[in-house]
Amino acid sequence: MRIIIEKDYEAMSKKSAEILAEVVNEKPEAVLGLATGGTPVSMYRNLIDMNKEGKIDFSKVTSVNLDEYKGLSGDHDQSYRYFMNNNLFNHINIDKKNTYVPNGLAEDIEKECSEYDKRIENLGGIDLQLLGIGNNGHIGFNEPDDFLHMSTHLTGLTEGTIEANARFFDKKEDVPTEAITMGLGGIMKAKKILLIASGENKAEIISKLVEGKITTQVPATLLQVHPNVTIVVDEAAASLLKK
Ligand code: GLP
């Protein structure tokens, strides 16, 4: 794993936007695996600026998002489709037809999941997968468990994740309890992985991710065996790393 420590959230966001831009500049038709959450917001803002300045062109890019809440339509302001449109897609020159987010309203969830994986395969796989990290080590919505799933699947959210994500909803009861998420297989098959984290509250999980034992109870630790992972963190998130 390559670990890059930047001073603060803004510097981390700029650096990670540059890493993503490098991939697209090298391969204009790149397939990008994208993520939601508070962490990537400023990275996406940097990408919007870079797109306006002509430093990155999304016209041939395809994107596949990691996850979506079950039961929320793309118009719901807390759905991940809405998040992506609002925080990135509406402001860059990507063709929306080439942006994929699991359909949280799909009637046949199993079919939605298997088609999602097939689509990624047909696209030739993910060139760069962007990841945030949950406080409990979840990536996408792959929550700590005795067993992890390879494929895209429906999953229940842990109490801690529901609590952590409640800050985006009016009240905790409004947070969906289930989500569709890409599995560990989908993530691990990406050619390159970029994980970003910021702030003191991520310091413990970042130290487990980088220095802890590999365990399904901290799904992100599986990234230790991926051949091409870059982690960009700010000083606060890196504060518990030994070296
Ligand atoms: C959510 C998302 C994850 C994200 C995580 C961390 O649960 N499903 O993909 O990485 O939250 O979010 P934040 O960046 O807000 O800390």
Side-chain angles (χ1 to χ4, degrees), residues 68-117:
E68 178 60 284
Y69 288 117
K70 179 172 182 253
L72 297 194
S73 83
D75 298 333
H76 189 288
D77 66 2
Q78 288 312 324
S79 74
Y80 286 165
R81 160 55 74 184
Y82 189 94
F83 174 100
M84 289 310 300
N85 285 350
N86 235 4
N87 285 289
L88 188 65
F89 301 150
N90 287 347
H91 314 288
I92 58 173
N93 70 334
I94 199 165
D95 185 343
K96 281 248 187 77
K97 288 201 295 293
N98 297 333
T99 68
Y100 297 98
V101 180
N103 176 8
L105 291 184
E107 274 178 26
D108 187 341
I109 298 263
E110 252 178 57
K111 187 163 164 251
E112 172 70 16
C113 292
S114 64
E115 282 178 356
Y116 206 71
D117 286 334

Side-chain angles (χ1 to χ4, degrees), residues 35-40 66-67 69 80 131-135 138-141 161 165 167-168 196 201-202:
T36 55
T39 312
L66 277 170
D67 45 15
Y69 288 117
Y80 286 165
L131 295 175
I133 186 167
N135 290 320
H138 75 223
I139 44 179
F141 269 132
T161 295
N165 289 0
R167 69 200 140 118
F168 299 115
I196 59 175
N201 69 329
K202 292 284 169 76

Side-chain angles (χ1 to χ4, degrees), residues 14-63:
K14 187 165 181 282
K15 182 73 190 172
S16 42
E18 284 166 5
I19 292 173
L20 184 145
E22 245 171 61
V23 170
V24 175
N25 287 334
E26 232 169 72
K27 185 177 176 187
E29 68 287 5
V31 178
L32 301 177
L34 297 179
T36 55
T39 312
V41 171
S42 177
M43 173 188 176
Y44 289 155
R45 248 183 257 132
N46 275 272
L47 289 171
I48 293 167
D49 290 345
M50 291 166 85
N51 186 226
K52 294 214 162 91
E53 291 159 11
K55 292 181 184 153
I56 180 170
D57 174 17
F58 289 96
S59 61
K60 295 192 186 116
V61 164
T62 301
S63 71

Side-chain angles (χ1 to χ4, degrees), residues 213-233:
K213 288 203 178 99
I214 299 174
T215 164
T216 59
Q217 296 302 336
V218 185
T221 56
L222 269 90
L223 298 175
Q224 290 180 18
V225 298
H226 189 284
N228 193 341
V229 178
T230 303
I231 298 176
V232 186
V233 286

